[in-house]
Amino acid sequence: MFFTYLRRELRRRRRAALVVASGLALGIALVIVVDAVSSGMGRAQARVLESLYGLGTDMTVTKAPEPSAEGEEDDRRPRFRFDAQGGEDGGEGEDGEKQSSDRVMVQGFQTLDAATVTEVGEADGVAAAAGGLSLEVVTVDGEFTPGRFQQPEGGGRPGGGAAGEVRGGGADFSVDGFSVHGTDVTRPALGPLTSSEITDGRGFEETETSAKVAVVDSAYAKEQELGTGDTVTVGGTGFEIVGLATASSGDAAADVYLPLAQAQALAGAKGEITTVYVQADDAQQLDAVRSAVLEAVPDATVTTSEDLADTVSGSLSTASGLAVTVGRWLSVVVLTAAFLVAGLLTSSAVSRRVREFGTLKALGWRSRRVTGQVVGEAVVTGLLGGALGIALGAAGAWAITAFGPSLSAQLGGAGGSGASGGPGGVMGAGPAGVMGGGMRQAASRSLDVALTAPVSLSVIALAVGLAVAGGLVAGAFGGWRASRLRPADALARVA
Amino acid sequence: MYELTGVTRRHTRGKDVVDALAGVDLTIADGDRLVVQGPTGGGKSTLLQMLGGLDRPTSGSVLLDGVDLAGLSEARLTGIRGEKIGFVFQSFNLIPTLTAQENVETALVPLGVKPRERRERAAEALASVGLGERLGHVPGELSGGQQQRVAIARALVKQPRVLLADEPTGNLDEATRDEIMDVLETRCEEHGLTFVMVTHDSHLARRAPRLVTLREGVLVPS
Ligand SMILES: Nc1ncnc2c1ncn2[C@@H]1O[C@H](COP(=O)(O)OP(=O)(O)OP(=O)(O)O)[C@@H](O)[C@H]1O
Ligand SMILES: [Mg+2]
């Protein structure tokens, strides 16, 4: 009787039931989509972190930034020297010679002693540690035309000479760059290369500590038309490409990976590293490990994946975070409104059935049974809304995943925290001799990660819970009205 | 067996005080057939509510088989209504979404009768009021007279001690009225029911074996 009565009643009032269910469905769909987007953001963040660090890396150790002593700094800054006499000697005279110069620089100019790896490795809670050296290679290609002595009436190149004596002269250079990562080939499980997959050829052998071999990021290889077996030239030295690596998400950590010793030699940084990659025994105890590492290496900066997550989410959250916050509030508002509307509609439906319920009470139906009927109708309506909402929410989440925008994560930029920098993009320095001090900052990079919106089982459970709750709220409104009806209302002339 | 003593039902709304019943004394023996008449607002429906345990008197006592309905809890009262008392209303009061059979079944729900037996008894009850062919029809598909027959079947299916009817023919034409009265009278006689009916209809009042008149909440000799 309960279900027959319930079913008939809902069919009779399907309009109102649909309004109630739709309201709930809207709220529930919003909850699902918002949850899916926020967990999608979490995933995007994890993928960004993964692509920066590599799998299994819990924290990095870099040199703490120190106030720069000018003299020291100058040594480290790259200086491009071109042969300015070329034009005069050459006899042909008119044009400058094409010249090219590679400068290999340590990224961020801050290094740690390679012994740090051992020190860090011995700290409490550290499972494994590996060193890495991030380099930046800047290539300057171009012509340099020296100024020439000119007759007063002779045309010269504009902008070059001074006071009519020597005229013309100038430079036309293009600056290009790529990033190199010196990898500890003896520890293949740690470091940025672990976030890439070898898609062609092979990775480093553990014995190739000083081999002239390279693994090249597939995107960079494509751009430079390089392949396995080719030779890539870094700082004037050729390396045989043994494999291509494809970043599993976002950008690769470096364009070219070399054995650590080779990278150190190129940069003139023997026994130096930029980063120690640390794997902790327990990823939940990172703070304790951080303290232990700082004790062992006092002048280091320790960056955990959580720290990094903060910088990543900082930029990720600007757009989508706003959407999630607004979405959360919106779903609360919509749900509240839906609950209220459901309650009022149910209550008013009971008002229109005063005589019906009065009659049932007159027939001997307990108040509880009548109330239960009302609550049952409301809960079923709520569940209907829940089903509708889950379908709607899942469709929405699917649409976001399918056509969704990609998120742009800005990384690094924070002074000295080389870890978060990773290899930077091409420097925007002019063709002047000395690079600007801007290099002190870890180059910031932006990663594009596609936003997904995974619907979790727990949010489905939440949706069902909300649907039942909505039904109970509506049922409470209506049931309260129904429970207060008197059996004498059966005799009421007008219902 | 009803024994009413000094039954008063007072309605208070703000300063307005209305005594729907003002000290009614009345005894109704088992198997009695009583017709209550009187002008509108006289308190007829209120008296029926007292008899049926739908409402309680402000003062006085309503004894049904020695039990004072005025002093019972709502739960006990509900139990007595479900078991002993059948109601027939002027406007039928059928559940519009339920079929004739299901409407009759609603009277057996509070008694905890199993669904199968419920269906059988409902079908029998409907057959006994001449609606054996209309089990699956909803009230909207039935005429007024047929709806009232369904209501009578619903009132009688549980085999109550008392049948209370508030203007059962008030919404029906004369021919249908006589049909319904026929059904009611034969059913009551068959089961030896105590039957109390309220009516405005002087024709029915004249036919009544026992007639009382309520005016302004007081029983007056008719
Ligand atoms: N809930 C109530 N609140 C206030 N007054 C009420 C209420 N119920 C009944 N009354 C009043 O009690 C008096 C008796 O009402 P009752 O319904 O018993 O009359 P009745 O004889 O059945 O009239 P009718 O022939 O029109 O059905 C009326 O004056 C009515 O206005
Ligand atoms: Mg009345």
Side-chain angles (χ1 to χ4, degrees), chain A residues 134-317:
Chain A
S134 290
L135 301 177
E136 199 63 52
V137 179
V138 179
T139 311
V140 181
D141 270 315
E143 297 170 41
F144 182 83
T145 312
R148 280 196 298 158
F149 183 76
Q150 292 278 11
Q151 301 290 51
E153 70 276 11
R157 286 193 176 186
E165 293 282 307
V166 178
R167 290 206 160 185
D172 180 11
F173 290 101
S174 71
V175 179
D176 213 349
F178 60 97
S179 57
V180 171
H181 188 265
T183 305
D184 185 349
V185 297
T186 62
R187 293 187 193 280
L190 269 177
L193 198 47
T194 55
S195 65
S196 289
E197 200 187 332
I198 301 294
T199 46
D200 193 47
R202 60 172 177 86
F204 293 118
E205 304 276 340
E206 288 191 30
T207 52
E208 289 176 327
T209 47
S210 52
K212 285 203 165 22
V213 290
V215 171
V216 178
D217 178 60
S218 59
Y220 182 73
K222 195 171 175 193
E223 181 192 313
Q224 298 293 322
E225 294 172 356
L226 294 169
T228 304
D230 291 348
T231 301
V232 62
T233 306
V234 182
T237 310
F239 292 89
E240 189 201 341
I241 301 173
V242 296
L244 299 185
T246 304
S248 45
S249 68
D251 285 356
D255 296 322
V256 176
Y257 302 88
L258 301 176
L260 179 58
Q262 291 292 349
Q264 287 168 332
L266 283 175
K270 278 225 151 30
E272 290 175 68
I273 52 170
T274 47
T275 312
V276 183
Y277 299 90
V278 180
Q279 185 179 21
D281 284 327
D282 181 358
Q284 307 302 314
Q285 305 291 323
L286 292 188
D287 279 340
V289 179
R290 181 210 298 264
S291 308
V293 168
L294 279 175
E295 209 168 291
V297 193
D299 63 341
T301 298
V302 176
T303 313
T304 65
S305 43
E306 273 167 32
D307 298 338
L308 203 47
D310 288 343
T311 43
V312 174
S313 60
S315 59
L316 278 183
S317 64

Side-chain angles (χ1 to χ4, degrees), chain B residues 21-37:
Chain B
L21 292 178
V24 171
D25 299 313
L26 182 67
T27 305
I28 309 167
D30 284 344
D32 249 14
R33 199 131 54 82
L34 175 69
V35 171
V36 184
Q37 64 167 9

